[in-house]
Amino acid sequence: MAESLVIMVVALLSIAATTVIGPKVGLAAPLLLVAIGVGASFVPALRDVEIDPEWILEGLLPPLLYSSAVSMPAMNFRREFRAISGLSVVLVVASALLLGVFFMLVIPDLGFAWGVALGAIISPTDAVATSIVKQTSVSKRVVAILDGESLLNDASALVVLRTAIVATAASFSFWGALGTFAWSVLVAAVVGALVGVGNLWVRKFIAAAPVNSVVSFTVPFIAAVPAELAGGSGLVAAVVAGLVTGVGAPRVLSPRNRLSDTQNWHTMELVLEGVVFLTMGLQIKHIVESVERDHAGVGTALVIAVAALALTLVIRAAYFAPALGVIARRARRYARAQPRFESLQEKLSTPEGRARTAEKFEATRGRSLSEKRLDKFATRVTRGLADIDYFLREPLGWREGTTVVWAGMRGAVTVAAAQTLPADTPQRSILILVAYAVAVASLTVQGGTIGPLLAMIAPKDDGSRAAQDAAERERLLQLIRDAAEAVPEPEPPAGDDRQAEFELALRHRIAVLDAQRVALLDARDDGTFDADILEEALMNVDASQIAIELRGRHVE
């Protein structure tokens, strides 16, 4: 017992130390943790440690993906969904098939189906590994694409893996595999959405922040387990629950509960991510010994792993280069449509323009346009114009394409998925070593060079981005001022009651903050402001309300 406690304490201190030391020495904390794990695997007390891969796939990943989904701007996820879905589904399937051919050719007597199984294991990028990218000065659109890809591609890879394993023992059906994938995603989406809505409904009645956070820790598992039992993807269910929670929490939960959630989940993320990378390092000795015990070549496996990693990058580049062309054509189409949307927005901003729009609609469609439907149309125009501005403000060029390709790192999911291969898998130990080596090489080479690469290809800072952000903050500040001015001043209490005056002032200030929050959330839903700048403004409003509420309690 004492030995286990010591190991746990050392692990937590290692996670904390690498998080502090990593940036100072120019190395990402995950790389340092993998190195510490490798060193720890030679310690006698940890020699026989075996980690059940299901603990990573079903115990650690759901909360990590849920937390990432909660903090991800849903508007950006929607805007980049075409790129995200292509990378997380089409690219994963294509990579698995092409890698399957490669492994079939270089590993004797493996066969195509088992090669595809290993290809599926290596194909997905890792949500935890992409945390390295967020520490660099990368485009916000690139972060949204990489985040969204890593949230969804695990499910695609695991479905392909299961299908390939089944194909080794039975006939393969393309339509059956496609149906399985569609069912997996559909079930996960329904279960995740229901759990996300139910989570918000339950937690709005819980006033105590610690209790609220404890309940939130169960949400990813409440979503994942039923989805898995129903044949869906537990990981996608956790992601959907997180997206629903992230969108609805500011309107449902109190500022204090949200602040508590944010702090506690950041701590949870830090610990779980650290555990994932430590376990990667810990498994190296056991995996190498398994290969040696089976009289397979460690050197050969490492050469195959390096070649496989290079091939995944080539496939990724070959896929995303044409995708960049499609994105650029779409941006040009948006630029041509922008004046029309601006004209529509201007018309709908005045009573006369709204009346003319309604008359034109009635003349062309033969039916009237109610005020409610006109409001919905105006909202769609506003959101459409905001989407156009988003795509034109940060276009994706070769620099961003290079970043997307090089930042697609493999990680703990690859190692864990490899160890779920059945015991009768041909040359199982060498397949696991290949997967492990790909993950470690990816983190080391790509993760260790992504910072210098971005610094090398980044355009010169001409100050335009800072000026753009300053103008955005000024517009947001005006929105907040307008919301505050729309709240009527309260009538002063009769007599000279200082306590009543103070309580009235507190209530009025909270009413102002509530109005400002609603205005900010409406702007978030319309997508009319940068997500990070708007989130910063929301946090300031929440902090002000918490401070006022604490002051009110102190006076009482």
Side-chain angles (χ1 to χ4, degrees), residues 376-513:
K376 287 183 178 180
F377 179 64
T379 299
R380 287 175 59 189
V381 170
T382 300
R383 292 180 179 180
L385 192 57
D387 289 350
I388 290 172
D389 181 63
Y390 169 84
F391 288 115
L392 298 182
R393 187 172 61 243
E394 286 195 55
L396 297 183
W398 69 268
R399 293 182 178 87
E400 290 75 22
T402 302
T403 305
V404 169
V405 171
W406 196 249
M409 286 169 274
R410 277 64 191 167
V413 175
T414 292
V415 176
Q419 295 185 42
T420 63
L421 288 170
D424 60 351
T425 302
Q427 305 188 62
R428 182 178 185 273
S429 60
I430 201 162
L431 300 189
I432 294 175
L433 179 58
V434 168
Y436 181 91
V438 167
V440 172
S442 176
L443 285 173
T444 305
V445 177
Q446 294 171 253
T449 58
I450 187 69
L453 175 66
L454 290 179
M456 183 174 65
I457 66 175
K460 290 183 178 180
D461 184 10
D462 57 0
S464 60
R465 180 69 199 188
Q468 204 173 52
D469 287 349
E472 188 99 335
R473 285 189 170 87
E474 183 57 38
R475 282 201 308 124
L476 197 60
L477 190 59
Q478 187 58 50
L479 177 73
I480 292 173
R481 290 196 199 101
D482 292 344
E485 290 172 2
V487 178
E489 289 285 342
E491 292 291 333
D496 188 20
D497 190 339
R498 296 288 182 90
Q499 180 65 27
E501 288 179 5
F502 178 76
E503 291 176 357
L504 189 64
L506 281 182
R507 286 197 296 271
H508 177 256
R509 181 57 183 152
I510 289 176
V512 167
L513 291 172

Side-chain angles (χ1 to χ4, degrees), residues 58 69 147-148 155 219 229 249 276 292 351 355 365 380 422 457 460 553:
E58 298 180 12
D147 264 347
V219 174
L229 293 175
V276 166
E292 292 174 342
R365 301 291 181 90
R380 287 175 59 189
I457 66 175
K460 290 183 178 180
R553 288 193 181 91

Side-chain angles (χ1 to χ4, degrees), residues 73 76 79-80 136-145 320 324 327-328 330-332 334 338 385-401 403-404 459 464-466 468-469 472 529-533:
N76 290 355
R79 286 165 168 164
E80 304 292 356
T136 63
S137 57
V138 69
S139 161
K140 294 176 182 179
R141 286 192 65 186
V142 170
V143 170
I145 290 171
F320 201 69
L324 273 179
I327 292 171
R330 194 164 72 241
R332 289 194 293 272
Y334 286 148
Q338 189 175 28
L385 192 57
D387 289 350
I388 290 172
D389 181 63
Y390 169 84
F391 288 115
L392 298 182
R393 187 172 61 243
E394 286 195 55
L396 297 183
W398 69 268
R399 293 182 178 87
E400 290 75 22
T403 305
V404 169
S464 60
R465 180 69 199 188
Q468 204 173 52
D469 287 349
E472 188 99 335
F529 290 94
D530 178 85
D532 292 334
I533 294 175

Side-chain angles (χ1 to χ4, degrees), residues 54 56-66 69 124 150-158 162 184 188-189 192 220-221 223-225 227-228 232-242 413:
E54 297 299 331
I56 294 177
L57 293 176
E58 298 180 12
L60 298 184
L61 284 184
L64 281 172
L65 294 177
Y66 169 84
S150 61
L151 289 177
L152 298 179
N153 62 9
D154 293 335
S156 305
L158 292 177
R162 288 198 294 263
S184 174
F221 303 106
V225 174
E228 289 284 349
S233 167
L235 299 182
V236 173
V239 168
V240 173
V413 175

